[in-house]
Amino acid sequence: MNLTPRDGGPVILTGEPNAIPLPDGTSVKALLYRAATRGPAATIVVCPGGMGTGMFEIVEWAASRLSAAGFHVVSMNYRGDLPTHDPDDISAAFDWLTRQPFADAGRIGLFGVSRGGNAALRAAAADHRFKAVATFGAVSDFLQQAFGTAAFAPARHRLITGWLGDPVTNRAFYEQIQAIDHVQGIVQPLLLLHGEHDMHAPVEQSIMVRDKVVAAGNPDVTLELFPVLGHFGEVVPSGFAYDHLASRFIPFFREKLG
């Protein structure tokens, strides 16, 4: 496995700053990575993780590798700290791309990491204009995280409930925002990547998504688990398996988007 060293210094963002307009007249920040191609090309909307409005730095490794592989890429923020409107913001990115001459509107895919994986799954279920979706370390069941961390990871429990509220009194909100309650609507090809050493999103969160999407009638679902990877693609103490992960989702998008 070819690893990116852990001491590579601060993340340098290589995308071009842009803004995606929202229906309410506001906008979200975005970074555009233009591939060296001629004419309209397949484009990937990359959805970052992180609380708040999302962090571009978390997905720079994926966006830059997708662009180098010949895809145009848009990495985007979200309008709010809570994930309530994440799928709407992602659909707004699709609308924006349809007005850009470089993007082929019939070949737009989704890639999400962590919270961005949850957002990508929700967006794919609601907006079938996206033709393929891939995730890494998707957090798909916030209720499981909130209840499951109460006993053995109290600091993590406080972090989650401080962000999303009490899972008992706010259960309806959790069900609204967690992908596991919506993924039965995904009809597109789906690739789920997850590290078995993920201490933030348990690996069963992707397993449950796979099972539910397949049970709903979508057979084009691939789940790959990586025994030594953590939530951020890290292989402790050696480095990050970014190239190894890209070797899975880049061929996937080439096959599914043409």
Side-chain angles (χ1 to χ4, degrees), residues 31-46:
L31 293 179
L32 175 62
Y33 302 72
R34 291 284 301 274
T37 60
R38 293 183 178 181
T43 303
I44 311 299
V45 177
V46 173

Side-chain angles (χ1 to χ4, degrees), residues 2-256:
N2 183 27
L3 299 179
T4 302
R6 296 181 63 86
D7 59 352
V11 175
I12 298 174
L13 299 175
T14 59
E16 173 190 344
N18 270 267
I20 295 172
L22 301 177
D24 63 3
T26 62
S27 64
V28 294
K29 294 180 180 180
L31 293 179
L32 175 62
Y33 302 72
R34 291 284 301 274
T37 60
R38 293 183 178 181
T43 303
I44 311 299
V45 177
V46 173
C47 311
M51 297 178 183
T53 58
M55 298 175 62
F56 291 123
E57 291 82 0
I58 291 176
V59 291
E60 168 67 27
W61 66 272
S64 59
R65 283 166 173 78
L66 283 163
S67 178
F71 298 96
H72 300 308
V73 179
V74 175
S75 174
M76 58 179 292
N77 274 164
Y78 312 109
R79 74 180 75 179
D81 292 349
L82 294 174
T84 311
H85 298 289
D86 289 1
D88 303 320
D89 298 342
I90 294 169
S91 288
F94 189 104
D95 295 336
W96 181 78
L97 284 170
T98 63
R99 300 190 293 272
Q100 309 307 313
F102 60 81
D104 183 342
R107 294 191 293 155
I108 296 178
L110 278 172
F111 179 76
V113 174
S114 191
R115 168 190 175 175
N118 183 77
L121 292 169
R122 289 174 62 200
D127 191 342
H128 294 169
R129 295 178 300 173
F130 292 103
K131 299 304 181 184
V133 58
T135 66
F136 172 63
V139 181
S140 65
D141 191 331
F142 289 114
L143 280 171
Q144 186 207 44
Q145 282 209 321
F147 288 123
T149 56
F152 74 90
R156 181 70 179 169
H157 177 76
R158 288 192 297 270
L159 183 66
I160 295 168
T161 57
W163 181 37
L164 302 177
D166 180 81
V168 176
T169 58
N170 283 10
R171 186 180 185 92
F173 175 66
Y174 276 75
E175 292 173 345
Q176 174 192 348
I177 63 171
Q178 61 183 19
I180 196 65
D181 287 306
H182 305 278
V183 294
Q184 65 272 16
I186 296 177
V187 298
Q188 305 95 320
L190 174 60
L191 174 65
L192 301 161
L193 307 174
H194 215 115
E196 292 184 353
H197 285 190
D198 192 327
M199 297 292 105
H200 293 268
V203 68
E204 59 263 30
Q205 299 229 340
S206 282
I207 295 172
M208 291 187 297
V209 169
R210 186 271 313 272
D211 293 347
K212 196 165 186 178
V213 174
V214 170
N218 181 354
D220 196 353
V221 182
T222 301
L223 170 67
E224 184 168 0
L225 306 180
F226 301 91
V228 297
L229 291 193
H231 187 64
F232 301 101
E234 73 274 18
V235 180
V236 179
S238 305
F240 296 90
Y242 297 149
D243 290 331
H244 192 63
L245 291 165
S247 74
R248 302 306 197 265
F249 59 75
I250 287 174
F252 169 78
F253 284 124
R254 282 178 174 157
E255 176 188 354
K256 304 303 181 181

